[in-house]
Amino acid sequence: MQVSARGSAQTITWSGTNVSVRKIFSVIKDQTGYVFFYNYSVLKDSRPVSLHVKDAPIEKVLQLVAEGQPFYFSIIGKTIVVSKQALPDRGASPGAGESGTDYPQRILKGKVVGENGAPLAGVTIRVKGTDQGTVSDPAGAFQLEISTGAVLEVSYIGYQGQVVEVGEKSDITIRMHPSASGLNQVVVVGYGTQEKGKITSSITEVNTSNLKDLPIATSGQLLEGRAGGVTVTEGDGAPGTPSTILIHGISSINAGIGPLVVVNGFPVGNAIPAGLNPNDIEKITVLKDAASTSIYGARGSNGVILIQTTQAVASKSTLEYNVYGGVQYIPHAWRPKVLNALQYAQYNKDRVDETNAFNHTNSALPQVFADVLANPQKYGTGTNWQDAFFREGTDAVIQNHHLTFRAGNEVLKGVISGSYLDQTGLIPNSDFKRYSLRTNLEGTLGKHVKIGGDLAVAHTENNEPDHAIYGQWGVVMEAVSASPLQSPYDDNGRLIPFLPADAPGYFAYPNPLYVAQVTHDNPVGRDMNGGIHMDIEIIKLHVKAFFNYPC
């Protein structure tokens, strides 16, 4: 075992018995500021260490730690690289002057530079066929223990990988060349380009492949909690209501603040369409600032949401069926806390007493409240309007069916999917149905022409009570705040249109349960959109045409 190091004045004082190697690493890091670079598999067979040192140089401490261990250390700058000991090939015969057990045999020093000769830091240098490896320091330098005939594998993001035969060299210089794949590190933004590192926080991608099994009814829910700087709210919670999406918060108090939504390259407005099936979405990209949304001009000032739907791929014919169903509840802990009959009567008594004390009057408590206070057992808890109003369990069912068929080869490929969603709301007389069909075809004409197109058709039916009767409060708020002394039914068990006033001077108002069950608001949505495109490779021509037809 040999410790390879550059001069250092760091010393360590510490004492411990039978402690793990990783604990020693932590002590060294805390006392010297050096950091360790290693693969966890290197430490898999390590043994506990007993160490008792005082003002010992870091090199001496590392030698003590590495004694009898299956790894060795290399100090490069302020980084300590932990590498696995190379074991001899038991089936090979040692060459002349070799014992077959002196591994590693020598230290290789080197430097990694770019195409222009500038040093490259962080380049990975690995001995081929082993777990031995290191990284270059800020000056591009590295050193590594190798055996005779070692071959190095060198890799760096944005550069072509290299395989270097060391031979008998003890000092080498490795020159790296940019890779064409390095173009992935540049992002095309509008009519120019920017370095990806400068806009990492400006672009967020959400891959939906791992979200297919979630019971998601609307496409906006795919973004909830999965994109930094993006706020998604569910609005009034009614079935089929599109999510409200804000990027970087509220940017205006009197103008539209929704982001521009673009589906397969076609702008569709400032909200994700209710007819867009979440199962048809493959990827969502959120563009958050002016630099990354420059191609959309003023329309992209509140951000842009790019949605890519299911695309055709060359594959064997496959048929996929996805279904989920369930029941819906409102947890009692989430419900608003309201007064029962006795508490409501006491509240009204306290209000009358306070009014009399303030105005020096002697107004009487309405008789109905006095009766409740005198005989609370007769009235019990009164009407629990939330239990009477909300539908739960088997009365609030949700089901979704999604069928996808894929087929094709390199010449012609396609995908077609259809879905059906039926969600019954928690409010009486509320539900949402969505029928959707989407297809995508891609084909090639000869070697230089590619054509393709997609078509999507959606039909939505939304049923809900007429909230206009209650204005801004809505039927839910009226149900929650209704008097516990009133019942939604008459003595014959029939719904009554209006609830009488509790006492003279109080208001009568529409029965919220009657309003929910009798009044209707039934918006129907039909939408058809699609596009075709053609690529001609010879003249680098790319043509797209879109159409959108809201029926």
Side-chain angles (χ1 to χ4, degrees), residues 264-304:
N264 293 334
F266 181 76
V268 295
N270 296 105
I272 299 179
L276 180 58
N277 179 19
N279 294 95
D280 284 334
I281 297 177
E282 286 190 346
K283 185 174 68 172
I284 301 177
T285 303
V286 181
L287 312 182
K288 304 177 188 176
D289 66 6
S292 56
T293 61
S294 58
I295 193 171
Y296 299 101
R299 293 185 300 172
S301 59
N302 295 318
V304 179

mmCIF file of all heavy atoms in Angstrom, residues 264-304:
data_model
loop_
_atom_site.group_PDB
_atom_site.id
_atom_site.type_symbol
_atom_site.label_atom_id
_atom_site.label_comp_id
_atom_site.label_asym_id
_atom_site.label_seq_id
_atom_site.Cartn_x
_atom_site.Cartn_y
_atom_site.Cartn_z
ATOM 1 N N ASN A 264 -48.094 20.595 -28.037
ATOM 2 C CA ASN A 264 -47.474 20.122 -29.293
ATOM 3 C C ASN A 264 -47.157 21.269 -30.244
ATOM 4 O O ASN A 264 -47.345 21.169 -31.463
ATOM 5 C CB ASN A 264 -48.373 19.097 -29.989
ATOM 6 C CG ASN A 264 -48.495 17.802 -29.208
ATOM 7 O OD1 ASN A 264 -47.608 17.449 -28.431
ATOM 8 N ND2 ASN A 264 -49.598 17.102 -29.399
ATOM 9 N N GLY A 265 -46.695 22.380 -29.674
ATOM 10 C CA GLY A 265 -46.296 23.520 -30.487
ATOM 11 C C GLY A 265 -47.408 24.489 -30.816
ATOM 12 O O GLY A 265 -47.152 25.527 -31.435
ATOM 13 N N PHE A 266 -48.644 24.202 -30.391
ATOM 14 C CA PHE A 266 -49.774 25.067 -30.734
ATOM 15 C C PHE A 266 -50.286 25.766 -29.476
ATOM 16 O O PHE A 266 -50.713 25.101 -28.529
ATOM 17 C CB PHE A 266 -50.899 24.252 -31.356
ATOM 18 C CG PHE A 266 -52.081 25.079 -31.765
ATOM 19 C CD1 PHE A 266 -52.039 25.862 -32.897
ATOM 20 C CD2 PHE A 266 -53.232 25.098 -30.993
ATOM 21 C CE1 PHE A 266 -53.118 26.635 -33.273
ATOM 22 C CE2 PHE A 266 -54.321 25.867 -31.355
ATOM 23 C CZ PHE A 266 -54.263 26.643 -32.503
ATOM 24 N N PRO A 267 -50.255 27.105 -29.420
ATOM 25 C CA PRO A 267 -50.776 27.823 -28.248
ATOM 26 C C PRO A 267 -52.281 27.629 -28.116
ATOM 27 O O PRO A 267 -53.032 27.798 -29.076
ATOM 28 C CB PRO A 267 -50.437 29.297 -28.550
ATOM 29 C CG PRO A 267 -49.351 29.243 -29.581
ATOM 30 C CD PRO A 267 -49.631 28.023 -30.397
ATOM 31 N N VAL A 268 -52.744 27.267 -26.904
ATOM 32 C CA VAL A 268 -54.166 26.992 -26.691
ATOM 33 C C VAL A 268 -54.807 27.933 -25.679
ATOM 34 O O VAL A 268 -55.988 27.781 -25.363
ATOM 35 C CB VAL A 268 -54.374 25.535 -26.232
ATOM 36 C CG1 VAL A 268 -53.957 24.569 -27.314
ATOM 37 C CG2 VAL A 268 -53.624 25.247 -24.931
ATOM 38 N N GLY A 269 -54.059 28.897 -25.162
ATOM 39 C CA GLY A 269 -54.640 29.843 -24.203
ATOM 40 C C GLY A 269 -53.845 29.906 -22.919
ATOM 41 O O GLY A 269 -52.667 29.529 -22.871
ATOM 42 N N ASN A 270 -54.505 30.410 -21.860
ATOM 43 C CA ASN A 270 -53.830 30.620 -20.576
ATOM 44 C C ASN A 270 -54.245 29.607 -19.516
ATOM 45 O O ASN A 270 -54.092 29.845 -18.326
ATOM 46 C CB ASN A 270 -54.096 32.038 -20.071
ATOM 47 C CG ASN A 270 -53.511 33.090 -20.987
ATOM 48 O OD1 ASN A 270 -54.226 33.751 -21.723
ATOM 49 N ND2 ASN A 270 -52.195 33.225 -20.976
ATOM 50 N N ALA A 271 -54.780 28.482 -19.941
ATOM 51 C CA ALA A 271 -55.126 27.398 -19.020
ATOM 52 C C ALA A 271 -55.033 26.081 -19.771
ATOM 53 O O ALA A 271 -55.263 26.027 -20.986
ATOM 54 C CB ALA A 271 -56.529 27.582 -18.443
ATOM 55 N N ILE A 272 -54.677 25.027 -19.048
ATOM 56 C CA ILE A 272 -54.627 23.713 -19.673
ATOM 57 C C ILE A 272 -56.048 23.269 -19.966
ATOM 58 O O ILE A 272 -56.909 23.279 -19.086
ATOM 59 C CB ILE A 272 -53.924 22.711 -18.742
ATOM 60 C CG1 ILE A 272 -52.481 23.152 -18.475
ATOM 61 C CG2 ILE A 272 -53.937 21.312 -19.357
ATOM 62 C CD1 ILE A 272 -51.718 22.241 -17.540
ATOM 63 N N PRO A 273 -56.353 22.884 -21.201
ATOM 64 C CA PRO A 273 -57.731 22.524 -21.555
ATOM 65 C C PRO A 273 -58.273 21.396 -20.687
ATOM 66 O O PRO A 273 -57.564 20.430 -20.379
ATOM 67 C CB PRO A 273 -57.604 22.089 -23.021
ATOM 68 C CG PRO A 273 -56.351 22.734 -23.520
ATOM 69 C CD PRO A 273 -55.429 22.790 -22.341
ATOM 70 N N ALA A 274 -59.546 21.523 -20.296
ATOM 71 C CA ALA A 274 -60.178 20.478 -19.481
ATOM 72 C C ALA A 274 -60.290 19.178 -20.246
ATOM 73 O O ALA A 274 -60.341 18.100 -19.652
ATOM 74 C CB ALA A 274 -61.564 20.941 -19.023
ATOM 75 N N GLY A 275 -60.319 19.243 -21.576
ATOM 76 C CA GLY A 275 -60.454 18.038 -22.379
ATOM 77 C C GLY A 275 -59.158 17.287 -22.606
ATOM 78 O O GLY A 275 -59.165 16.219 -23.210
ATOM 79 N N LEU A 276 -58.035 17.829 -22.127
ATOM 80 C CA LEU A 276 -56.747 17.164 -22.319
ATOM 81 C C LEU A 276 -56.579 16.078 -21.261
ATOM 82 O O LEU A 276 -56.546 16.353 -20.059
ATOM 83 C CB LEU A 276 -55.610 18.184 -22.225
ATOM 84 C CG LEU A 276 -54.199 17.628 -22.406
ATOM 85 C CD1 LEU A 276 -54.052 16.934 -23.753
ATOM 86 C CD2 LEU A 276 -53.164 18.740 -22.261
ATOM 87 N N ASN A 277 -56.460 14.857 -21.701
ATOM 88 C CA ASN A 277 -56.341 13.715 -20.802
ATOM 89 C C ASN A 277 -54.933 13.638 -20.222
ATOM 90 O O ASN A 277 -53.951 13.610 -20.977
ATOM 91 C CB ASN A 277 -56.669 12.431 -21.580
ATOM 92 C CG ASN A 277 -56.553 11.200 -20.715
ATOM 93 O OD1 ASN A 277 -56.570 11.273 -19.499
ATOM 94 N ND2 ASN A 277 -56.439 10.053 -21.365
ATOM 95 N N PRO A 278 -54.778 13.582 -18.886
ATOM 96 C CA PRO A 278 -53.430 13.494 -18.286
ATOM 97 C C PRO A 278 -52.644 12.281 -18.773
ATOM 98 O O PRO A 278 -51.418 12.339 -18.866
ATOM 99 C CB PRO A 278 -53.714 13.403 -16.780
ATOM 100 C CG PRO A 278 -55.072 13.985 -16.604
ATOM 101 C CD PRO A 278 -55.823 13.665 -17.852
ATOM 102 N N ASN A 279 -53.317 11.175 -19.092
ATOM 103 C CA ASN A 279 -52.619 9.974 -19.550
ATOM 104 C C ASN A 279 -51.987 10.152 -20.925
ATOM 105 O O ASN A 279 -51.124 9.358 -21.319
ATOM 106 C CB ASN A 279 -53.579 8.784 -19.592
ATOM 107 C CG ASN A 279 -54.058 8.369 -18.221
ATOM 108 O OD1 ASN A 279 -55.127 8.797 -17.780
ATOM 109 N ND2 ASN A 279 -53.288 7.560 -17.524
ATOM 110 N N ASP A 280 -52.420 11.166 -21.681
ATOM 111 C CA ASP A 280 -51.853 11.410 -23.005
ATOM 112 C C ASP A 280 -50.611 12.292 -22.955
ATOM 113 O O ASP A 280 -49.986 12.517 -23.992
ATOM 114 C CB ASP A 280 -52.895 12.081 -23.913
ATOM 115 C CG ASP A 280 -53.947 11.101 -24.399
ATOM 116 O OD1 ASP A 280 -53.632 9.904 -24.476
ATOM 117 O OD2 ASP A 280 -55.082 11.534 -24.675
ATOM 118 N N ILE A 281 -50.253 12.805 -21.785
ATOM 119 C CA ILE A 281 -49.125 13.731 -21.670
ATOM 120 C C ILE A 281 -47.850 12.954 -21.369
ATOM 121 O O ILE A 281 -47.790 12.187 -20.410
ATOM 122 C CB ILE A 281 -49.381 14.783 -20.576
ATOM 123 C CG1 ILE A 281 -50.593 15.650 -20.954
ATOM 124 C CG2 ILE A 281 -48.154 15.658 -20.370
ATOM 125 C CD1 ILE A 281 -50.962 16.667 -19.908
ATOM 126 N N GLU A 282 -46.820 13.147 -22.195
ATOM 127 C CA GLU A 282 -45.532 12.505 -21.971
ATOM 128 C C GLU A 282 -44.565 13.402 -21.209
ATOM 129 O O GLU A 282 -43.793 12.927 -20.386
ATOM 130 C CB GLU A 282 -44.893 12.106 -23.308
ATOM 131 C CG GLU A 282 -45.549 10.901 -23.965
ATOM 132 C CD GLU A 282 -44.757 10.397 -25.142
ATOM 133 O OE1 GLU A 282 -43.845 11.121 -25.621
ATOM 134 O OE2 GLU A 282 -45.032 9.269 -25.609
ATOM 135 N N LYS A 283 -44.608 14.704 -21.464
ATOM 136 C CA LYS A 283 -43.650 15.600 -20.819
ATOM 137 C C LYS A 283 -44.227 17.003 -20.741
ATOM 138 O O LYS A 283 -44.908 17.457 -21.653
ATOM 139 C CB LYS A 283 -42.315 15.616 -21.584
ATOM 140 C CG LYS A 283 -41.229 16.443 -20.901
ATOM 141 C CD LYS A 283 -39.900 16.310 -21.623
ATOM 142 C CE LYS A 283 -39.909 16.953 -22.981
ATOM 143 N NZ LYS A 283 -38.565 16.982 -23.616
ATOM 144 N N ILE A 284 -43.938 17.676 -19.632
ATOM 145 C CA ILE A 284 -44.321 19.076 -19.460
ATOM 146 C C ILE A 284 -43.064 19.877 -19.176
ATOM 147 O O ILE A 284 -42.270 19.515 -18.298
ATOM 148 C CB ILE A 284 -45.328 19.254 -18.306
ATOM 149 C CG1 ILE A 284 -46.597 18.438 -18.555
ATOM 150 C CG2 ILE A 284 -45.683 20.727 -18.125
ATOM 151 C CD1 ILE A 284 -47.600 18.510 -17.424
ATOM 152 N N THR A 285 -42.867 20.955 -19.906
ATOM 153 C CA THR A 285 -41.726 21.840 -19.691
ATOM 154 C C THR A 285 -42.253 23.217 -19.310
ATOM 155 O O THR A 285 -43.116 23.764 -19.999
ATOM 156 C CB THR A 285 -40.854 21.947 -20.953
ATOM 157 O OG1 THR A 285 -40.431 20.640 -21.338
ATOM 158 C CG2 THR A 285 -39.635 22.818 -20.694
ATOM 159 N N VAL A 286 -41.745 23.762 -18.217
ATOM 160 C CA VAL A 286 -42.167 25.069 -17.735
ATOM 161 C C VAL A 286 -41.046 26.070 -17.990
ATOM 162 O O VAL A 286 -39.921 25.891 -17.502
ATOM 163 C CB VAL A 286 -42.513 25.029 -16.229
ATOM 164 C CG1 VAL A 286 -42.984 26.396 -15.760
ATOM 165 C CG2 VAL A 286 -43.574 23.974 -15.956
ATOM 166 N N LEU A 287 -41.330 27.099 -18.778
ATOM 167 C CA LEU A 287 -40.384 28.185 -19.045
ATOM 168 C C LEU A 287 -40.772 29.377 -18.176
ATOM 169 O O LEU A 287 -41.915 29.823 -18.224
ATOM 170 C CB LEU A 287 -40.419 28.582 -20.525
ATOM 171 C CG LEU A 287 -40.345 27.432 -21.542
ATOM 172 C CD1 LEU A 287 -40.339 27.985 -22.960
ATOM 173 C CD2 LEU A 287 -39.125 26.576 -21.302
ATOM 174 N N LYS A 288 -39.807 29.885 -17.398
ATOM 175 C CA LYS A 288 -40.183 30.801 -16.324
ATOM 176 C C LYS A 288 -39.761 32.245 -16.508
ATOM 177 O O LYS A 288 -40.210 33.094 -15.758
ATOM 178 C CB LYS A 288 -39.600 30.296 -14.995
ATOM 179 C CG LYS A 288 -40.001 28.888 -14.635
ATOM 180 C CD LYS A 288 -39.318 28.460 -13.352
ATOM 181 C CE LYS A 288 -39.547 26.996 -13.081
ATOM 182 N NZ LYS A 288 -38.811 26.542 -11.886
ATOM 183 N N ASP A 289 -38.859 32.558 -17.406
ATOM 184 C CA ASP A 289 -38.456 33.961 -17.487
ATOM 185 C C ASP A 289 -38.431 34.439 -18.936
ATOM 186 O O ASP A 289 -38.645 33.678 -19.873
ATOM 187 C CB ASP A 289 -37.107 34.202 -16.802
ATOM 188 C CG ASP A 289 -35.971 33.490 -17.522
ATOM 189 O OD1 ASP A 289 -36.215 32.912 -18.591
ATOM 190 O OD2 ASP A 289 -34.839 33.503 -17.001
ATOM 191 N N ALA A 290 -38.150 35.730 -19.101
ATOM 192 C CA ALA A 290 -38.217 36.340 -20.435
ATOM 193 C C ALA A 290 -37.203 35.736 -21.386
ATOM 194 O O ALA A 290 -37.470 35.597 -22.582
ATOM 195 C CB ALA A 290 -37.995 37.846 -20.316
ATOM 196 N N ALA A 291 -36.015 35.347 -20.861
ATOM 197 C CA ALA A 291 -34.984 34.792 -21.740
ATOM 198 C C ALA A 291 -35.445 33.490 -22.372
ATOM 199 O O ALA A 291 -35.249 33.241 -23.556
ATOM 200 C CB ALA A 291 -33.697 34.563 -20.951
ATOM 201 N N SER A 292 -36.113 32.632 -21.584
ATOM 202 C CA SER A 292 -36.510 31.329 -22.094
ATOM 203 C C SER A 292 -37.854 31.357 -22.811
ATOM 204 O O SER A 292 -38.284 30.360 -23.367
ATOM 205 C CB SER A 292 -36.566 30.315 -20.941
ATOM 206 O OG SER A 292 -37.428 30.770 -19.939
ATOM 207 N N THR A 293 -38.535 32.484 -22.805
ATOM 208 C CA THR A 293 -39.837 32.576 -23.480
ATOM 209 C C THR A 293 -39.837 33.635 -24.576
ATOM 210 O O THR A 293 -40.891 34.089 -24.987
ATOM 211 C CB THR A 293 -40.937 32.900 -22.459
ATOM 212 O OG1 THR A 293 -40.646 34.162 -21.856
ATOM 213 C CG2 THR A 293 -41.015 31.846 -21.373
ATOM 214 N N SER A 294 -38.662 33.997 -25.043
ATOM 215 C CA SER A 294 -38.585 35.121 -25.983
ATOM 216 C C SER A 294 -39.334 34.862 -27.281
ATOM 217 O O SER A 294 -39.814 35.785 -27.918
ATOM 218 C CB SER A 294 -37.111 35.439 -26.290
ATOM 219 O OG SER A 294 -36.467 34.292 -26.816
ATOM 220 N N ILE A 295 -39.442 33.634 -27.709
ATOM 221 C CA ILE A 295 -40.102 33.361 -28.988
ATOM 222 C C ILE A 295 -41.596 33.656 -28.938
ATOM 223 O O ILE A 295 -42.234 33.880 -29.959
ATOM 224 C CB ILE A 295 -39.857 31.892 -29.392
ATOM 225 C CG1 ILE A 295 -40.244 31.682 -30.849
ATOM 226 C CG2 ILE A 295 -40.608 30.927 -28.492
ATOM 227 C CD1 ILE A 295 -39.849 30.338 -31.402
ATOM 228 N N TYR A 296 -42.186 33.693 -27.720
ATOM 229 C CA TYR A 296 -43.627 33.920 -27.594
ATOM 230 C C TYR A 296 -43.977 35.379 -27.303
ATOM 231 O O TYR A 296 -45.150 35.704 -27.150
ATOM 232 C CB TYR A 296 -44.200 33.013 -26.499
ATOM 233 C CG TYR A 296 -44.019 31.557 -26.811
ATOM 234 C CD1 TYR A 296 -43.006 30.825 -26.205
ATOM 235 C CD2 TYR A 296 -44.835 30.915 -27.733
ATOM 236 C CE1 TYR A 296 -42.816 29.485 -26.504
ATOM 237 C CE2 TYR A 296 -44.653 29.578 -28.044
ATOM 238 C CZ TYR A 296 -43.636 28.872 -27.423
ATOM 239 O OH TYR A 296 -43.452 27.551 -27.721
ATOM 240 N N GLY A 297 -42.974 36.235 -27.209
ATOM 241 C CA GLY A 297 -43.232 37.655 -27.039
ATOM 242 C C GLY A 297 -44.015 37.969 -25.780
ATOM 243 O O GLY A 297 -43.833 37.362 -24.730
ATOM 244 N N ALA A 298 -44.942 38.964 -25.901
ATOM 245 C CA ALA A 298 -45.709 39.414 -24.732
ATOM 246 C C ALA A 298 -46.601 38.317 -24.180
ATOM 247 O O ALA A 298 -46.907 38.296 -22.993
ATOM 248 C CB ALA A 298 -46.547 40.631 -25.112
ATOM 249 N N ARG A 299 -47.011 37.374 -25.034
ATOM 250 C CA ARG A 299 -47.875 36.293 -24.547
ATOM 251 C C ARG A 299 -47.174 35.417 -23.520
ATOM 252 O O ARG A 299 -47.825 34.767 -22.703
ATOM 253 C CB ARG A 299 -48.346 35.431 -25.721
ATOM 254 C CG ARG A 299 -49.276 36.145 -26.681
ATOM 255 C CD ARG A 299 -49.780 35.181 -27.737
ATOM 256 N NE ARG A 299 -48.688 34.602 -28.525
ATOM 257 C CZ ARG A 299 -48.838 33.623 -29.404
ATOM 258 N NH1 ARG A 299 -50.043 33.103 -29.621
ATOM 259 N NH2 ARG A 299 -47.813 33.161 -30.088
ATOM 260 N N GLY A 300 -45.853 35.396 -23.573
ATOM 261 C CA GLY A 300 -45.106 34.560 -22.637
ATOM 262 C C GLY A 300 -44.598 35.306 -21.422
ATOM 263 O O GLY A 300 -43.758 34.790 -20.692
ATOM 264 N N SER A 301 -45.099 36.528 -21.176
ATOM 265 C CA SER A 301 -44.587 37.332 -20.060
ATOM 266 C C SER A 301 -44.895 36.715 -18.708
ATOM 267 O O SER A 301 -44.224 37.011 -17.716
ATOM 268 C CB SER A 301 -45.167 38.747 -20.135
ATOM 269 O OG SER A 301 -46.584 38.709 -20.072
ATOM 270 N N ASN A 302 -45.929 35.878 -18.618
ATOM 271 C CA ASN A 302 -46.260 35.194 -17.361
ATOM 272 C C ASN A 302 -45.765 33.760 -17.334
ATOM 273 O O ASN A 302 -46.208 32.961 -16.508
ATOM 274 C CB ASN A 302 -47.781 35.204 -17.146
ATOM 275 C CG ASN A 302 -48.320 36.608 -16.947
ATOM 276 O OD1 ASN A 302 -47.731 37.415 -16.249
ATOM 277 N ND2 ASN A 302 -49.436 36.896 -17.590
ATOM 278 N N GLY A 303 -44.842 33.437 -18.235
ATOM 279 C CA GLY A 303 -44.324 32.089 -18.317
ATOM 280 C C GLY A 303 -45.031 31.282 -19.388
ATOM 281 O O GLY A 303 -46.081 31.666 -19.903
ATOM 282 N N VAL A 304 -44.442 30.159 -19.724
ATOM 283 C CA VAL A 304 -44.982 29.292 -20.765
ATOM 284 C C VAL A 304 -44.952 27.845 -20.265
ATOM 285 O O VAL A 304 -43.982 27.412 -19.648
ATOM 286 C CB VAL A 304 -44.176 29.405 -22.080
ATOM 287 C CG1 VAL A 304 -44.741 28.465 -23.144
ATOM 288 C CG2 VAL A 304 -44.181 30.839 -22.592
#
